[in-house]
Structures are given as C-alpha cells and as structure tokens.
Amino acid sequence: MKRTDFLVRKDDFREYRTAEADVSDLEDGQALLRVDRFGLTANNITYATFGEAMSYWDFFPASAGWGRVPMWGFADVEESRVDGVESGARLYGYLPPSSHLVVTPNGIDPDGFVDASPHRSALPSAYHRYLITENDSFYRADTEDLQMLLRPLFYTSFLIDDELADNGLTTRGPVVISSASSKTSLAAAFMLAQRDGVELVGLTSARSADFVEKLELYDRCVSYSDIASLGGGPAVFVDVAGDGEVRRAVHEHYGDDLAWSMAVGATHWEELGAAAGDLPGPVPTLFFAPTRVEKRAAEWGRRGLNDRVVDAWHPFCEWAAGWLELDRGEGFEALERAYLEVLEGHVPPDRAKVLSLGV
Ligand SMILES: NC(=O)c1ccc[n+]([C@@H]2O[C@H](COP(=O)([O-])OP(=O)(O)OC[C@H]3O[C@@H](n4cnc5c(N)ncnc54)[C@H](OP(=O)(O)O)[C@@H]3O)[C@@H](O)[C@H]2O)c1
C-alpha cells in the first residue's frame, strides 16, 4: 500500500512537498496506525531546527535530503498483527505528518505500548510511548484539540517549574521568561505563579506584548527592545526564544548576578546563531524534557509522575480553553499552509493550528 507524507527539505525549511511512499506489508508483531489529527506550533519547527543535532529527523525517516517533522496527536489502529493491540483503538503519541505509521509494539499493557522499531531504539524513550485514550487519565473526548496542542508543552513546563523549584531557583530574584507569549512559556508561568514568592517577568516581542499583558499571568511584561529596564539581579533566565541577541542582552544586563540560564527553546529559529561568543554570567544549560522525565520517572515511578502532571494539567487546560482560538484545517494542503504560517511566525499568540488528515 501507499502512504502520503508531508516532507520538508532538511537544508531549507521553506521548501516542502506532499508525496507518496510505499508501505510494506505488516509483519507479525507490527501494527498499522492511521494518523488522524495533530497540533502544529513553534515546537514542531524546533524539531526541524534540531533535526540533525538532536536526531529528530530519525524518528520518521524519509528520502535523502527530506524530513518528516514530528507532531503530537491522535491515531487509530487500522490493522494489528500484535496480541493486546486491538484494531480500532485510539492512541495519543508522537506521529509523523503522514497518513500512516507502522509500529512494532512492545511493553504492551492496558495503558498502551512503546514502539520498539529498531530505527528508534537509540532515540529518547519519552517519545516512544503510545497511550490508549480509553485508559489515559489526560484524555477527555471534548479536549482532544487542546491535548494535541498543549499536552507536550505543558508536560515540559511542569518539569521546568519542577526543576527550578528543586534547585531553589524560583525565589532567587525574578524568573525572566523569553518568548513569553508561547504556549510553553505560558504553561511554565502558570505553574510557577502557583508558588509562593515567585516574581515572573515575561520577555516578548512588541507584537505579542498586548496579549501577554492582558493575560495578567506575569507580574511584568518587558519587550525585547527594553531589556535595560529589567532592574537589578539576581535573576533566573528561562530562554524559550533561543534568540542569540536577546540571550546576550539578558546575560550582559545581569552579568554574574544571573543565577541560572536555562536554554529551553528556539522559537526565533533564524536568530539562533546571532551575537555568538562568550557570554557574561552562567553558561546556558540545555533543558531537555525527556531527560527530566527519566529522572522523575525513576524517583516517583512513571505513574507517580503522570498523576502529578495530570492533576496540574486539568486546571491549565480549562484556563487555556478560555482564551485560545483554534484554526482547524483538513488534509495535506491545509497542512502545507499551516506549516508555512507557523514557520514564518505568522500565527498570533492567542491562536493555534490543529490539523486533521482526514484519510
Ligand atoms: N527543551 C524542551 O524539552 C522543550 C520541550 C517543549 C518545547 N520546547 C520549546 O519551546 C518553544 C516554544 O514552543 P511552543 O510550541 O510553545 O511555541 P508557540 O506557542 O507556537 O510560540 C509562538 C511564539 O513564538 C514566537 N515566535 C514563533 N515563531 C516565530 C518566528 N518565526 N519569529 C519570531 N518569533 C516567533 C512568538 O513569541 P514572542 O513574540 O513572545 O517571542 C510567538 O508568539 C519551542 O522552541 C519548543 O521547541 C522545548
């Protein structure tokens, strides 16, 4: 059979196409998933940005020079040659922007399974799990859109808040969060704001400032051009923009009074290399959610971690539903249009893209 793929050129993200590829017949131990729906935000563009450096292209291989940008969403089991994985089951997990995905389920339990396909074995395990919606405590049929869009980002933000608190960094002066209008930043701020004594500063672009201010989540909103107004240190920097010039300006502003610099994201993906060279203050430390997942899953158990995140998720999901507008699209042409809008940063911060492949 054939599957349809949305492909991006690895060396030029502005070049993309939709193409067909062969899918080999299922072998014993494999299942065929039909990709149904997924969300598309700057996070997915970051998977492309770090496609080579962090192996994101390796999850869903494509023909030479082209990549399939990973998405988070829902798929249905179309055919199964595995005991315990039933045809018709609905799953949440890491998916290609393709009509179909063949998986090799392993570690099957009532909650779901992991894909043990050999090409994925060296990649971080947090991306391998497919959860059966029926037994998933995050799942509510009426919030599927918000789950696809926000669940992976919220999970990260829960862990950012957890790591900062664990290291005594939530009250070492203000926590300054760049790309303050992004869903990841808002979720981190939502979590941090629930702690005593935390001062939150949202650092954002002039075009997003009104939106950030109106949410009243941060104590203060500062635009990238006004970093000099941040005030004295100490402070903690949570860098979701990944913009070289913004990072340099924050480090130069606080100098050695910057207590921690956490490199989380790269929403400003074309400015990553700007203003390179040695920075004053602490060396930025990469925050990689899957590493923190492994640490907390080992300490709290996978279920213990999940229960804590679920408890925090439902209030966040309700809050986000109050302001987030969804742009729904169907089919690969809609996916192409949505991808380009997200790539170019043309999606206003109070909106987000949800795609159904409708095959
Ligand atoms: N380290 C980890 O484990 C981890 C896990 C999850 C997510 N993340 C990262 O967190 C970041 C945020 O992802 P998200 O999905 O939450 O983002 P999002 O909600 O789609 O963010 C949109 C915001 O990003 C900025 N932006 C987006 N595209 C831009 C462009 N082309 N040029 C300039 N600004 C642009 C704007 O913010 P401003 O105007 O406020 O700058 C915009 O409001 C991503 O880089 C993602 O990879 C990291």
Side-chain angles (χ1 to χ4, degrees):
M1 71 170 261
K2 300 271 186 202
R3 64 163 201 250
T4 309
D5 294 332
F6 171 67
L7 301 165
V8 172
R9 266 212 80 88
K10 290 179 180 177
D11 59 2
D12 179 3
F13 302 157
R14 291 187 169 89
E15 204 180 315
Y16 54 83
R17 66 189 170 103
T18 297
E20 290 202 325
D22 290 323
V23 178
S24 8
D25 290 340
L26 279 195
E27 293 172 12
D28 283 341
Q30 290 185 322
L32 178 69
L33 309 188
R34 187 173 52 79
V35 177
D36 183 24
R37 317 171 62 214
F38 47 79
L40 177 48
T41 69
N43 185 39
N44 305 95
I45 305 302
T46 304
Y47 291 142
T49 305
F50 293 110
E52 302 286 358
M54 295 178 77
S55 307
Y56 287 115
W57 293 131
D58 297 347
F59 283 91
F60 309 115
S63 49
W66 295 87
R68 289 191 280 165
V69 177
M71 306 287 172
W72 289 95
F74 293 96
D76 300 300
V77 180
E78 189 163 286
E79 194 187 334
S80 175
R81 294 187 59 176
V82 196
D83 286 342
V85 175
E86 304 305 326
S87 184
R90 190 157 179 77
L91 306 168
Y92 166 83
Y94 206 50
L95 299 167
S98 300
S99 59
H100 293 85
L101 172 68
V102 174
V103 290
T104 306
N106 197 4
I108 303 164
D109 64 20
D111 293 342
F113 58 81
V114 294
D115 180 14
S117 295
H119 73 275
R120 288 176 73 156
S121 64
L123 300 167
S125 60
Y127 298 110
H128 294 345
R129 206 159 171 75
Y130 292 85
L131 295 160
I132 297 172
T133 55
E134 232 173 51
N135 300 326
D136 177 5
S137 41
F138 272 88
Y139 187 76
R140 287 185 190 161
D142 60 346
T143 62
E144 275 202 359
D145 291 329
L146 293 171
Q147 290 167 65
M148 299 186 297
L149 281 166
L150 301 178
R151 178 174 172 170
L153 309 174
F154 180 79
Y155 217 110
T156 297
S157 302
F158 175 95
L159 296 164
I160 290 171
D161 167 71
D162 171 58
E163 184 171 292
L164 291 178
D166 205 22
N167 295 334
L169 291 165
T170 55
T171 48
R172 294 275 300 278
V175 180
V176 179
I177 307 181
S178 69
S179 250
S181 66
S182 70
K183 283 40 160 206
T184 303
S185 299
L186 293 171
F190 185 88
M191 293 305 297
L192 285 159
Q194 294 171 41
R195 295 187 182 275
D196 287 338
V198 180
E199 185 188 345
L200 291 172
V201 178
L203 199 54
T204 189
S205 56
R207 66 175 183 170
S208 306
D210 271 0
F211 163 77
V212 171
E213 264 167 21
K214 277 193 191 127
L215 283 181
E216 294 182 349
L217 186 57
Y218 300 91
D219 297 290
R220 216 148 50 92
C221 173
V222 172
S223 74
Y224 297 128
S225 56
D226 212 11
I227 285 171
S229 75
L230 277 173
V236 167
F237 184 36
V238 177
D239 186 11
V240 178
D243 185 314
E245 279 182 14
V246 170
R247 183 187 305 133
R248 171 161 296 281
V250 170
H251 275 249
E252 284 180 350
H253 177 81
Y254 289 114
D256 288 337
D257 285 343
L258 191 61
W260 189 248
S261 179
M262 182 187 254
V264 174
T267 57
H268 298 195
W269 61 277
E270 290 185 286
E271 312 301 333
L272 276 180
D278 286 348
L279 291 172
V283 175
T285 303
L286 178 71
F287 177 84
F288 186 48
T291 307
R292 188 81 189 162
V293 167
E294 277 166 30
K295 176 178 164 28
R296 283 311 200 190
E299 291 164 359
W300 296 341
R302 189 164 287 284
R303 195 168 287 276
L305 169 60
N306 198 59
D307 289 350
R308 284 169 170 87
V309 183
V310 168
D311 282 350
W313 157 258
H314 288 301
F316 173 75
C317 188
E318 264 173 50
W319 175 74
W323 55 263
L324 186 60
E325 300 280 337
L326 303 176
D327 290 338
R328 294 190 178 84
E330 200 168 309
F332 282 88
E333 281 180 24
L335 169 56
E336 291 186 358
R337 286 193 299 273
Y339 165 78
L340 199 57
E341 278 188 64
V342 177
L343 181 73
E344 302 294 4
H346 291 162
V347 182
D350 59 349
R351 305 192 74 87
K353 303 283 178 193
V354 173
L355 279 308
S356 297
L357 291 185
V359 287

